[in-house]
Structures are given as C-alpha cells and as structure tokens.
Amino acid sequence: MRIEEPPQLAADLKTIKLPTVAAHWERLALEAHKRRQPHADYLAELLALEVAQRREGRIRRLTQDARFPVLKTLDGFDFAAQPTLDRDAILDLARGDFVRERRNVVLVGGVGTGKTHLAIALGLACCQRELRVRFTSAAELTNLLVEAKAEGRLSRKLEQLARYDLVLLDELGYVPFDRHGADLLFGFVTKVYERRSLVVTTNLPFARWSEVFLDATAAAAVIDRIVHHATVLKTDGDSYRLKAARQGGRKRKEVEPT
Ligand code: ADP
Ligand code: MG
C-alpha cells in the first residue's frame, strides 16, 4: 500500500510550521490504514506528536537558557545523606508551585552538603514545568550588575533578569562584595521581591548576612524580603564528596585480595 502525497501538503505544513506532522504524517497514515484507525483518531495522534515535540523543544531551550553549570536532578540526590532535610518539602517544591506563588527558597549549609545540587535540581524541575529559570552565582550576578551600571544600562539589565520566573542565586556569602556591589545586589533583590522567585544558596546563617551586604540595615531588609516568603532548608553534615571518597576508599580496601 502506498499513500499518494497531496501536492500542496508539504508546502502548507511548512507555511504553518508543522515540522513533526510533515515528518510523520505518512508513516502514521500507513499505520492508520493497517489498523483501520478512524480519521479523527489519526489526526489527533499526529497533532499530539507535534504538540509533544514542541513542548520538548521548549523545555530544551529553557534548560539551555538557564545556564546551569552542570545538570543535577533530584533523582540523583541521596536523601539518606541528609536525614534532617525534609524530602517531601523538596519534592513538593519541584512541582514549581512556589514559583507561581512568587515564593523563595533558601538553602543554608556548609560546603559540599548539596546546596548547589539541590538548587540546580529544583531549577531543572521548574524548566520541565516550562518556567523561565536562570542560574547564576551571587558573585557573577553582582559583576553583571556592576558592569551594566558602568555602561549605563542597569535598569535594562534588571528588567531582563526580572523576566525570569525563577533566579537561582548560588553561593551568597562566599565572596565579600564591596559597598557598590552590595548595593547593586540589594537593588536586585528589591526589584524581584514579590514579583519573581529566588532560590538562594548560602553558607552563612542569616545572622551573618550583614557580612555580605556590609550593612546591618541592608541585610535586615534583604532577609525580610527574601525570607518573608521563603522555605528555608538546612543541609548539614560533612562534605558529600569527602564522605563518598572516604567510603569509596574503604570499599576498595575490602575487595582487595589479601
Ligand atoms: P554545596 O553547594 O553545598 O557546596 P554541592 O551541591 O556542590 O555542595 O555538592 C558537592 C558535590 O557533591 C556535587 O557533585 C553534588 O552533586 C554532590 N552531592 C552533595 N550532596 C549530595 C547528595 N546528598 N546526594 C548526591 N550527591 C550529592
Ligand atoms: Mg555550592
């Protein structure tokens, strides 16, 4: 059985931009013929394929635009290593409602305890829900803002950042800013406050945020704005990598021939 291609079909599909339909109509038509599938079902199946491909493409683009330094998932997170962390709360956040509700997440904990991993995994989950996400570090963001300000395009930069539904702000507290940088970062938080969501990772307890913002009043204002609508999660214990390396070492020893 051969299917005669309608002369105008390829051009029409191109005009209205249905590449997946163009690629699959013939194969599915043959199958429909074999299975005696009703025309309406054939049409629905073909369009569902187009819709699914488009969604996949959008998610791929959103994931690229997010500029994750590496891809990490919640499936790849070993919750057993963080027994005090509320797993259900994190799985719940991964549904993305916190972004739609303009709420924030703060991940506090020591080095290597999985804060960045969790932030990326939450970001990726939000990309899969078709939310616009941007990963950056506090240092990188501050540099961007300092540069933009110097070039007289600070407000444009802030507008551009405020277009993301969710900004992941990694490593707040590792680098002390100067006064100018601290003020710009403060300006950013004020700008996104109640309009967009932030996921902040930090090694500093709130009591020490004045070291980042170089000023107790600004720190208090930031804490007030971010934490006011936030889920605060603490990661603790030893560095996961160190622990894994130590365990790996032990395991290797055990299998060594004596
Ligand atoms: P932090 O940002 O808190 O310093 P990271 O998230 O960068 O720590 O974690 C360091 C490394 O250890 C990363 O490769 C991360 O994937 C891994 N890691 C940390 N905690 C876990 C965990 N509970 N399960 C799986 N991998 C983890
Ligand atoms: Mg980190």
Side-chain angles (χ1 to χ4, degrees):
M1 153 86 193
R2 245 202 97 234
I3 289 179
E4 198 71 35
E5 175 160 353
Q8 201 39 42
L9 183 64
D12 283 350
L13 290 174
K14 205 163 181 179
T15 305
I16 58 168
K17 298 199 173 69
L18 294 176
T20 307
V21 170
H24 296 283
W25 71 266
E26 193 170 4
R27 177 178 62 80
L28 290 187
L30 277 167
E31 277 175 28
H33 179 77
K34 268 189 243 151
R35 289 174 11 215
R36 295 167 190 269
Q37 188 182 33
H39 292 154
D41 290 358
Y42 162 72
L43 179 64
E45 195 178 319
L46 193 53
L47 291 184
L49 208 57
E50 180 77 48
V51 168
Q53 291 276 337
R54 280 193 192 187
R55 181 164 180 275
E56 241 173 67
R58 276 197 307 276
I59 291 172
R60 206 167 27 227
R61 266 193 307 281
L62 287 165
T63 306
Q64 274 163 9
D65 290 349
R67 306 192 209 182
F68 298 116
V70 285
L71 292 184
K72 299 275 178 179
T73 61
L74 287 179
D75 282 345
F77 192 78
D78 175 10
F79 282 93
Q82 287 293 333
T84 58
L85 199 62
D86 188 344
R87 181 169 186 262
D88 290 339
I90 291 172
L91 295 181
D92 194 50
L93 290 169
R95 296 215 311 260
D97 291 337
F98 80 99
V99 176
R100 288 174 210 108
E101 292 160 8
R102 311 275 178 259
R103 295 176 51 82
N104 306 311
V105 176
V106 182
L107 290 155
V108 195
V111 177
T113 53
K115 301 182 300 294
T116 302
H117 184 134
L118 286 170
I120 293 172
L122 285 177
L124 193 59
C126 289
C127 288
Q128 276 149 6
R129 309 261 166 178
E130 301 196 39
L131 294 161
R132 288 161 300 178
V133 177
R134 171 73 146 90
F135 180 99
T136 182
S137 68
E140 184 194 36
L141 179 67
T142 307
N143 284 336
L144 279 178
L145 296 175
V146 168
E147 244 176 66
K149 167 98 182 172
E151 291 164 11
R153 47 180 181 82
L154 179 63
S155 57
R156 199 163 7 121
K157 186 87 221 166
L158 286 171
E159 277 305 325
Q160 191 190 326
L161 287 163
R163 260 183 253 140
Y164 292 99
D165 299 301
L166 170 66
V167 175
L168 307 168
L169 194 55
D170 198 30
E171 300 195 339
L172 187 72
Y174 284 107
V175 270
F177 303 112
D178 58 11
R179 174 80 270 152
H180 182 51
D183 287 346
L184 288 170
L185 194 66
F186 177 69
F188 167 77
V189 173
T190 309
K191 175 95 182 171
V192 298
Y193 170 62
E194 283 191 335
R195 291 176 61 204
R196 297 300 181 203
S197 291
L198 291 174
V199 170
V200 177
T201 82
T202 181
N203 58 327
L204 292 182
F206 296 128
R208 290 182 55 196
W209 279 27
S210 54
E211 293 169 29
V212 177
F213 292 96
L214 304 175
D215 166 331
T217 319
V222 170
I223 293 166
D224 193 57
R225 285 170 165 82
I226 294 180
V227 184
H228 183 211
H229 304 282
T231 304
V232 180
L233 299 162
K234 290 196 180 69
T235 55
D236 48 26
D238 293 337
S239 155
Y240 186 81
R241 258 188 304 231
L242 283 178
K243 218 160 36 187
R246 276 204 299 269
Q247 274 166 8
R250 223 178 295 137
K251 268 194 207 118
R252 268 199 297 282
K253 274 225 178 75
E254 277 164 16
V255 294
E256 254 168 28
T258 46

mmCIF file of all heavy atoms in Angstrom, residues 184-226:
data_model
loop_
_atom_site.group_PDB
_atom_site.id
_atom_site.type_symbol
_atom_site.label_atom_id
_atom_site.label_comp_id
_atom_site.label_asym_id
_atom_site.label_seq_id
_atom_site.Cartn_x
_atom_site.Cartn_y
_atom_site.Cartn_z
ATOM 1 N N LEU A 184 24.148 47.085 44.683
ATOM 2 C CA LEU A 184 23.508 46.634 43.443
ATOM 3 C C LEU A 184 22.762 45.320 43.669
ATOM 4 O O LEU A 184 21.651 45.121 43.166
ATOM 5 C CB LEU A 184 24.547 46.486 42.333
ATOM 6 C CG LEU A 184 25.079 47.822 41.797
ATOM 7 C CD1 LEU A 184 26.264 47.608 40.874
ATOM 8 C CD2 LEU A 184 23.959 48.576 41.071
ATOM 9 N N LEU A 185 23.380 44.420 44.431
ATOM 10 C CA LEU A 185 22.714 43.149 44.728
ATOM 11 C C LEU A 185 21.438 43.407 45.535
ATOM 12 O O LEU A 185 20.398 42.795 45.296
ATOM 13 C CB LEU A 185 23.668 42.228 45.497
ATOM 14 C CG LEU A 185 23.224 40.776 45.575
ATOM 15 C CD1 LEU A 185 23.226 40.127 44.200
ATOM 16 C CD2 LEU A 185 24.118 39.981 46.518
ATOM 17 N N PHE A 186 21.544 44.348 46.441
ATOM 18 C CA PHE A 186 20.380 44.741 47.235
ATOM 19 C C PHE A 186 19.277 45.284 46.319
ATOM 20 O O PHE A 186 18.103 44.937 46.456
ATOM 21 C CB PHE A 186 20.797 45.792 48.271
ATOM 22 C CG PHE A 186 19.654 46.307 49.090
ATOM 23 C CD1 PHE A 186 19.024 45.487 50.010
ATOM 24 C CD2 PHE A 186 19.193 47.611 48.933
ATOM 25 C CE1 PHE A 186 17.953 45.952 50.761
ATOM 26 C CE2 PHE A 186 18.123 48.084 49.677
ATOM 27 C CZ PHE A 186 17.501 47.246 50.595
ATOM 28 N N GLY A 187 19.693 46.077 45.349
ATOM 29 C CA GLY A 187 18.735 46.631 44.372
ATOM 30 C C GLY A 187 18.036 45.530 43.593
ATOM 31 O O GLY A 187 16.836 45.588 43.333
ATOM 32 N N PHE A 188 18.792 44.496 43.245
ATOM 33 C CA PHE A 188 18.213 43.362 42.514
ATOM 34 C C PHE A 188 17.153 42.656 43.357
ATOM 35 O O PHE A 188 16.046 42.395 42.873
ATOM 36 C CB PHE A 188 19.322 42.378 42.105
ATOM 37 C CG PHE A 188 18.799 41.049 41.631
ATOM 38 C CD1 PHE A 188 18.257 40.927 40.355
ATOM 39 C CD2 PHE A 188 18.835 39.939 42.458
ATOM 40 C CE1 PHE A 188 17.755 39.712 39.922
ATOM 41 C CE2 PHE A 188 18.326 38.718 42.028
ATOM 42 C CZ PHE A 188 17.780 38.611 40.755
ATOM 43 N N VAL A 189 17.508 42.374 44.608
ATOM 44 C CA VAL A 189 16.545 41.681 45.488
ATOM 45 C C VAL A 189 15.275 42.512 45.633
ATOM 46 O O VAL A 189 14.154 41.995 45.579
ATOM 47 C CB VAL A 189 17.184 41.384 46.873
ATOM 48 C CG1 VAL A 189 16.143 40.835 47.838
ATOM 49 C CG2 VAL A 189 18.336 40.404 46.720
ATOM 50 N N THR A 190 15.464 43.820 45.789
ATOM 51 C CA THR A 190 14.314 44.703 45.931
ATOM 52 C C THR A 190 13.440 44.668 44.677
ATOM 53 O O THR A 190 12.224 44.668 44.749
ATOM 54 C CB THR A 190 14.800 46.151 46.176
ATOM 55 O OG1 THR A 190 15.744 46.102 47.235
ATOM 56 C CG2 THR A 190 13.673 47.061 46.564
ATOM 57 N N LYS A 191 14.126 44.601 43.521
ATOM 58 C CA LYS A 191 13.408 44.583 42.242
ATOM 59 C C LYS A 191 12.560 43.321 42.073
ATOM 60 O O LYS A 191 11.430 43.377 41.610
ATOM 61 C CB LYS A 191 14.443 44.673 41.106
ATOM 62 C CG LYS A 191 13.877 44.558 39.725
ATOM 63 C CD LYS A 191 13.626 45.902 39.141
ATOM 64 C CE LYS A 191 12.998 45.765 37.768
ATOM 65 N NZ LYS A 191 12.558 47.064 37.279
ATOM 66 N N VAL A 192 13.138 42.176 42.441
ATOM 67 C CA VAL A 192 12.403 40.931 42.187
ATOM 68 C C VAL A 192 11.427 40.591 43.325
ATOM 69 O O VAL A 192 10.572 39.731 43.163
ATOM 70 C CB VAL A 192 13.336 39.713 41.954
ATOM 71 C CG1 VAL A 192 14.200 39.924 40.732
ATOM 72 C CG2 VAL A 192 14.167 39.382 43.162
ATOM 73 N N TYR A 193 11.601 41.274 44.435
ATOM 74 C CA TYR A 193 10.789 40.997 45.608
ATOM 75 C C TYR A 193 9.282 40.984 45.285
ATOM 76 O O TYR A 193 8.749 41.933 44.741
ATOM 77 C CB TYR A 193 11.108 42.056 46.672
ATOM 78 C CG TYR A 193 10.196 42.080 47.854
ATOM 79 C CD1 TYR A 193 10.099 40.985 48.699
ATOM 80 C CD2 TYR A 193 9.444 43.212 48.151
ATOM 81 C CE1 TYR A 193 9.263 41.012 49.795
ATOM 82 C CE2 TYR A 193 8.612 43.256 49.245
ATOM 83 C CZ TYR A 193 8.525 42.144 50.062
ATOM 84 O OH TYR A 193 7.702 42.168 51.139
ATOM 85 N N GLU A 194 8.656 39.900 45.578
ATOM 86 C CA GLU A 194 7.212 39.688 45.354
ATOM 87 C C GLU A 194 6.796 39.653 43.883
ATOM 88 O O GLU A 194 5.636 39.519 43.575
ATOM 89 C CB GLU A 194 6.368 40.726 46.115
ATOM 90 C CG GLU A 194 6.297 40.383 47.591
ATOM 91 C CD GLU A 194 5.273 41.194 48.363
ATOM 92 O OE1 GLU A 194 4.944 42.312 47.934
ATOM 93 O OE2 GLU A 194 4.810 40.690 49.395
ATOM 94 N N ARG A 195 7.762 39.811 42.974
ATOM 95 C CA ARG A 195 7.411 39.705 41.551
ATOM 96 C C ARG A 195 7.896 38.381 40.983
ATOM 97 O O ARG A 195 7.296 37.826 40.077
ATOM 98 C CB ARG A 195 8.052 40.849 40.758
ATOM 99 C CG ARG A 195 7.472 42.205 41.063
ATOM 100 C CD ARG A 195 8.233 43.284 40.320
ATOM 101 N NE ARG A 195 8.172 43.124 38.884
ATOM 102 C CZ ARG A 195 9.084 43.621 38.047
ATOM 103 N NH1 ARG A 195 10.130 44.271 38.514
ATOM 104 N NH2 ARG A 195 8.954 43.452 36.752
ATOM 105 N N ARG A 196 9.048 37.932 41.483
ATOM 106 C CA ARG A 196 9.681 36.727 40.975
ATOM 107 C C ARG A 196 10.154 35.881 42.135
ATOM 108 O O ARG A 196 10.176 36.338 43.274
ATOM 109 C CB ARG A 196 10.897 37.109 40.111
ATOM 110 C CG ARG A 196 10.543 37.903 38.893
ATOM 111 C CD ARG A 196 9.621 37.135 38.011
ATOM 112 N NE ARG A 196 9.275 37.856 36.800
ATOM 113 C CZ ARG A 196 8.191 37.611 36.097
ATOM 114 N NH1 ARG A 196 7.327 36.710 36.496
ATOM 115 N NH2 ARG A 196 7.959 38.266 34.992
ATOM 116 N N SER A 197 10.610 34.650 41.817
ATOM 117 C CA SER A 197 11.104 33.774 42.875
ATOM 118 C C SER A 197 12.618 33.670 42.825
ATOM 119 O O SER A 197 13.231 33.761 41.764
ATOM 120 C CB SER A 197 10.508 32.379 42.714
ATOM 121 O OG SER A 197 9.140 32.427 43.005
ATOM 122 N N LEU A 198 13.175 33.463 44.007
ATOM 123 C CA LEU A 198 14.612 33.243 44.130
ATOM 124 C C LEU A 198 14.849 31.924 44.850
ATOM 125 O O LEU A 198 14.110 31.586 45.779
ATOM 126 C CB LEU A 198 15.255 34.337 44.981
ATOM 127 C CG LEU A 198 15.336 35.758 44.436
ATOM 128 C CD1 LEU A 198 15.885 36.682 45.527
ATOM 129 C CD2 LEU A 198 16.260 35.789 43.223
ATOM 130 N N VAL A 199 15.876 31.210 44.397
ATOM 131 C CA VAL A 199 16.424 30.134 45.228
ATOM 132 C C VAL A 199 17.828 30.587 45.584
ATOM 133 O O VAL A 199 18.647 30.822 44.695
ATOM 134 C CB VAL A 199 16.478 28.781 44.488
ATOM 135 C CG1 VAL A 199 17.267 27.760 45.301
ATOM 136 C CG2 VAL A 199 15.075 28.241 44.227
ATOM 137 N N VAL A 200 18.078 30.792 46.850
ATOM 138 C CA VAL A 200 19.382 31.291 47.289
ATOM 139 C C VAL A 200 20.112 30.162 48.010
ATOM 140 O O VAL A 200 19.527 29.474 48.838
ATOM 141 C CB VAL A 200 19.193 32.477 48.266
ATOM 142 C CG1 VAL A 200 20.542 32.975 48.788
ATOM 143 C CG2 VAL A 200 18.439 33.610 47.584
ATOM 144 N N THR A 201 21.367 29.931 47.655
ATOM 145 C CA THR A 201 22.159 29.016 48.478
ATOM 146 C C THR A 201 23.208 29.839 49.212
ATOM 147 O O THR A 201 23.750 30.804 48.667
ATOM 148 C CB THR A 201 22.883 27.912 47.662
ATOM 149 O OG1 THR A 201 24.091 28.439 47.104
ATOM 150 C CG2 THR A 201 22.009 27.340 46.564
ATOM 151 N N THR A 202 23.460 29.475 50.442
ATOM 152 C CA THR A 202 24.408 30.240 51.244
ATOM 153 C C THR A 202 25.044 29.375 52.328
ATOM 154 O O THR A 202 24.420 28.435 52.820
ATOM 155 C CB THR A 202 23.719 31.471 51.880
ATOM 156 O OG1 THR A 202 24.685 32.207 52.628
ATOM 157 C CG2 THR A 202 22.566 31.082 52.777
ATOM 158 N N ASN A 203 26.278 29.698 52.639
ATOM 159 C CA ASN A 203 26.947 29.027 53.751
ATOM 160 C C ASN A 203 26.774 29.825 55.038
ATOM 161 O O ASN A 203 27.207 29.402 56.092
ATOM 162 C CB ASN A 203 28.446 28.868 53.432
ATOM 163 C CG ASN A 203 29.114 30.208 53.154
ATOM 164 O OD1 ASN A 203 28.486 31.121 52.601
ATOM 165 N ND2 ASN A 203 30.360 30.345 53.525
ATOM 166 N N LEU A 204 26.166 30.994 54.934
ATOM 167 C CA LEU A 204 26.059 31.873 56.097
ATOM 168 C C LEU A 204 24.673 31.840 56.730
ATOM 169 O O LEU A 204 23.675 31.992 56.031
ATOM 170 C CB LEU A 204 26.326 33.330 55.685
ATOM 171 C CG LEU A 204 27.731 33.721 55.236
ATOM 172 C CD1 LEU A 204 27.765 35.208 54.924
ATOM 173 C CD2 LEU A 204 28.755 33.368 56.303
ATOM 174 N N PRO A 205 24.609 31.655 58.030
ATOM 175 C CA PRO A 205 23.314 31.822 58.697
ATOM 176 C C PRO A 205 22.866 33.279 58.572
ATOM 177 O O PRO A 205 23.695 34.172 58.388
ATOM 178 C CB PRO A 205 23.621 31.464 60.152
ATOM 179 C CG PRO A 205 25.101 31.563 60.297
ATOM 180 C CD PRO A 205 25.701 31.352 58.949
ATOM 181 N N PHE A 206 21.557 33.498 58.651
ATOM 182 C CA PHE A 206 21.028 34.850 58.439
ATOM 183 C C PHE A 206 21.732 35.886 59.306
ATOM 184 O O PHE A 206 21.949 37.013 58.873
ATOM 185 C CB PHE A 206 19.524 34.888 58.717
ATOM 186 C CG PHE A 206 18.745 34.026 57.769
ATOM 187 C CD1 PHE A 206 17.837 33.086 58.241
ATOM 188 C CD2 PHE A 206 18.934 34.152 56.405
ATOM 189 C CE1 PHE A 206 17.126 32.276 57.349
ATOM 190 C CE2 PHE A 206 18.221 33.356 55.505
ATOM 191 C CZ PHE A 206 17.326 32.414 55.996
ATOM 192 N N ALA A 207 22.096 35.472 60.523
ATOM 193 C CA ALA A 207 22.728 36.414 61.456
ATOM 194 C C ALA A 207 24.006 37.005 60.861
ATOM 195 O O ALA A 207 24.456 38.059 61.288
ATOM 196 C CB ALA A 207 23.038 35.710 62.776
ATOM 197 N N ARG A 208 24.581 36.307 59.862
ATOM 198 C CA ARG A 208 25.837 36.821 59.300
ATOM 199 C C ARG A 208 25.667 37.442 57.909
ATOM 200 O O ARG A 208 26.651 37.744 57.237
ATOM 201 C CB ARG A 208 26.882 35.698 59.272
ATOM 202 C CG ARG A 208 27.341 35.320 60.689
ATOM 203 C CD ARG A 208 28.412 34.247 60.673
ATOM 204 N NE ARG A 208 29.558 34.618 59.841
ATOM 205 C CZ ARG A 208 30.464 33.722 59.429
ATOM 206 N NH1 ARG A 208 30.353 32.446 59.763
ATOM 207 N NH2 ARG A 208 31.478 34.115 58.686
ATOM 208 N N TRP A 209 24.435 37.641 57.469
ATOM 209 C CA TRP A 209 24.239 38.221 56.131
ATOM 210 C C TRP A 209 24.704 39.678 56.050
ATOM 211 O O TRP A 209 24.921 40.187 54.970
ATOM 212 C CB TRP A 209 22.773 38.087 55.682
ATOM 213 C CG TRP A 209 22.469 36.725 55.146
ATOM 214 C CD1 TRP A 209 23.103 35.554 55.471
ATOM 215 C CD2 TRP A 209 21.473 36.377 54.188
ATOM 216 N NE1 TRP A 209 22.559 34.502 54.788
ATOM 217 C CE2 TRP A 209 21.545 34.986 53.988
ATOM 218 C CE3 TRP A 209 20.513 37.097 53.486
ATOM 219 C CZ2 TRP A 209 20.704 34.301 53.111
ATOM 220 C CZ3 TRP A 209 19.662 36.418 52.618
ATOM 221 C CH2 TRP A 209 19.762 35.032 52.432
ATOM 222 N N SER A 210 24.854 40.300 57.211
ATOM 223 C CA SER A 210 25.367 41.674 57.176
ATOM 224 C C SER A 210 26.790 41.697 56.626
ATOM 225 O O SER A 210 27.247 42.708 56.111
ATOM 226 C CB SER A 210 25.314 42.300 58.564
ATOM 227 O OG SER A 210 25.995 41.468 59.474
ATOM 228 N N GLU A 211 27.494 40.541 56.692
ATOM 229 C CA GLU A 211 28.849 40.468 56.122
ATOM 230 C C GLU A 211 28.804 40.530 54.596
ATOM 231 O O GLU A 211 29.764 40.917 53.953
ATOM 232 C CB GLU A 211 29.554 39.173 56.562
ATOM 233 C CG GLU A 211 29.850 39.145 58.046
ATOM 234 C CD GLU A 211 30.292 37.767 58.530
ATOM 235 O OE1 GLU A 211 30.883 37.009 57.731
ATOM 236 O OE2 GLU A 211 30.024 37.461 59.706
ATOM 237 N N VAL A 212 27.685 40.074 54.019
ATOM 238 C CA VAL A 212 27.556 40.125 52.566
ATOM 239 C C VAL A 212 27.127 41.520 52.122
ATOM 240 O O VAL A 212 27.665 42.080 51.171
ATOM 241 C CB VAL A 212 26.502 39.109 52.071
ATOM 242 C CG1 VAL A 212 26.323 39.209 50.559
ATOM 243 C CG2 VAL A 212 26.900 37.707 52.480
ATOM 244 N N PHE A 213 26.147 42.059 52.837
ATOM 245 C CA PHE A 213 25.587 43.337 52.412
ATOM 246 C C PHE A 213 26.274 44.511 53.083
ATOM 247 O O PHE A 213 25.930 45.665 52.838
ATOM 248 C CB PHE A 213 24.071 43.330 52.625
ATOM 249 C CG PHE A 213 23.407 42.361 51.692
ATOM 250 C CD1 PHE A 213 23.106 41.065 52.118
ATOM 251 C CD2 PHE A 213 23.144 42.704 50.380
ATOM 252 C CE1 PHE A 213 22.537 40.149 51.242
ATOM 253 C CE2 PHE A 213 22.571 41.796 49.499
ATOM 254 C CZ PHE A 213 22.269 40.511 49.933
ATOM 255 N N LEU A 214 27.278 44.179 53.919
ATOM 256 C CA LEU A 214 28.182 45.157 54.515
ATOM 257 C C LEU A 214 27.462 46.191 55.365
ATOM 258 O O LEU A 214 27.980 47.274 55.584
ATOM 259 C CB LEU A 214 29.002 45.875 53.427
ATOM 260 C CG LEU A 214 29.816 44.967 52.491
ATOM 261 C CD1 LEU A 214 30.480 45.787 51.407
ATOM 262 C CD2 LEU A 214 30.839 44.161 53.273
ATOM 263 N N ASP A 215 26.282 45.808 55.790
ATOM 264 C CA ASP A 215 25.479 46.821 56.476
ATOM 265 C C ASP A 215 24.287 46.089 57.097
ATOM 266 O O ASP A 215 23.588 45.349 56.418
ATOM 267 C CB ASP A 215 25.079 47.838 55.400
ATOM 268 C CG ASP A 215 23.983 48.801 55.788
ATOM 269 O OD1 ASP A 215 23.114 48.458 56.609
ATOM 270 O OD2 ASP A 215 23.992 49.900 55.221
ATOM 271 N N ALA A 216 24.129 46.275 58.376
ATOM 272 C CA ALA A 216 23.103 45.520 59.103
ATOM 273 C C ALA A 216 21.693 45.879 58.618
ATOM 274 O O ALA A 216 20.827 45.015 58.524
ATOM 275 C CB ALA A 216 23.238 45.768 60.601
ATOM 276 N N THR A 217 21.493 47.137 58.257
ATOM 277 C CA THR A 217 20.150 47.562 57.835
ATOM 278 C C THR A 217 19.788 46.933 56.488
ATOM 279 O O THR A 217 18.689 46.412 56.308
ATOM 280 C CB THR A 217 20.076 49.098 57.704
ATOM 281 O OG1 THR A 217 20.784 49.663 58.802
ATOM 282 C CG2 THR A 217 18.662 49.579 57.688
ATOM 283 N N ALA A 218 20.760 46.981 55.539
ATOM 284 C CA ALA A 218 20.512 46.381 54.226
ATOM 285 C C ALA A 218 20.296 44.880 54.385
ATOM 286 O O ALA A 218 19.377 44.308 53.786
ATOM 287 C CB ALA A 218 21.682 46.655 53.283
ATOM 288 N N ALA A 219 21.125 44.234 55.201
ATOM 289 C CA ALA A 219 20.985 42.788 55.411
ATOM 290 C C ALA A 219 19.609 42.472 55.978
ATOM 291 O O ALA A 219 18.931 41.552 55.517
ATOM 292 C CB ALA A 219 22.084 42.273 56.333
ATOM 293 N N ALA A 220 19.196 43.266 56.954
ATOM 294 C CA ALA A 220 17.884 43.031 57.569
ATOM 295 C C ALA A 220 16.776 43.190 56.525
ATOM 296 O O ALA A 220 15.825 42.406 56.483
ATOM 297 C CB ALA A 220 17.674 43.995 58.734
ATOM 298 N N ALA A 221 16.940 44.181 55.640
ATOM 299 C CA ALA A 221 15.933 44.415 54.601
ATOM 300 C C ALA A 221 15.894 43.241 53.621
ATOM 301 O O ALA A 221 14.816 42.805 53.204
ATOM 302 C CB ALA A 221 16.230 45.723 53.864
ATOM 303 N N VAL A 222 17.075 42.719 53.258
ATOM 304 C CA VAL A 222 17.131 41.588 52.328
ATOM 305 C C VAL A 222 16.520 40.350 52.968
ATOM 306 O O VAL A 222 15.710 39.646 52.350
ATOM 307 C CB VAL A 222 18.591 41.295 51.894
ATOM 308 C CG1 VAL A 222 18.655 39.989 51.126
ATOM 309 C CG2 VAL A 222 19.122 42.434 51.058
ATOM 310 N N ILE A 223 16.912 40.104 54.209
ATOM 311 C CA ILE A 223 16.366 38.936 54.911
ATOM 312 C C ILE A 223 14.847 39.059 54.982
ATOM 313 O O ILE A 223 14.116 38.117 54.699
ATOM 314 C CB ILE A 223 16.984 38.814 56.328
ATOM 315 C CG1 ILE A 223 18.473 38.484 56.199
ATOM 316 C CG2 ILE A 223 16.262 37.753 57.147
ATOM 317 C CD1 ILE A 223 19.256 38.661 57.471
ATOM 318 N N ASP A 224 14.409 40.256 55.303
ATOM 319 C CA ASP A 224 12.983 40.496 55.394
ATOM 320 C C ASP A 224 12.288 40.182 54.068
ATOM 321 O O ASP A 224 11.277 39.490 54.032
ATOM 322 C CB ASP A 224 12.763 41.960 55.778
ATOM 323 C CG ASP A 224 11.325 42.192 56.186
ATOM 324 O OD1 ASP A 224 10.901 41.497 57.119
ATOM 325 O OD2 ASP A 224 10.643 43.001 55.533
ATOM 326 N N ARG A 225 12.879 40.661 52.980
ATOM 327 C CA ARG A 225 12.254 40.466 51.666
ATOM 328 C C ARG A 225 12.336 39.021 51.191
ATOM 329 O O ARG A 225 11.352 38.474 50.697
ATOM 330 C CB ARG A 225 12.906 41.382 50.628
ATOM 331 C CG ARG A 225 12.479 42.819 50.770
ATOM 332 C CD ARG A 225 13.338 43.716 49.897
ATOM 333 N NE ARG A 225 12.767 45.037 49.733
ATOM 334 C CZ ARG A 225 12.877 46.016 50.607
ATOM 335 N NH1 ARG A 225 13.529 45.822 51.726
ATOM 336 N NH2 ARG A 225 12.328 47.196 50.372
ATOM 337 N N ILE A 226 13.536 38.421 51.301
ATOM 338 C CA ILE A 226 13.677 37.060 50.787
ATOM 339 C C ILE A 226 12.982 36.059 51.708
ATOM 340 O O ILE A 226 12.241 35.194 51.266
ATOM 341 C CB ILE A 226 15.168 36.665 50.625
ATOM 342 C CG1 ILE A 226 15.839 37.518 49.548
ATOM 343 C CG2 ILE A 226 15.286 35.179 50.260
ATOM 344 C CD1 ILE A 226 17.300 37.189 49.317
#
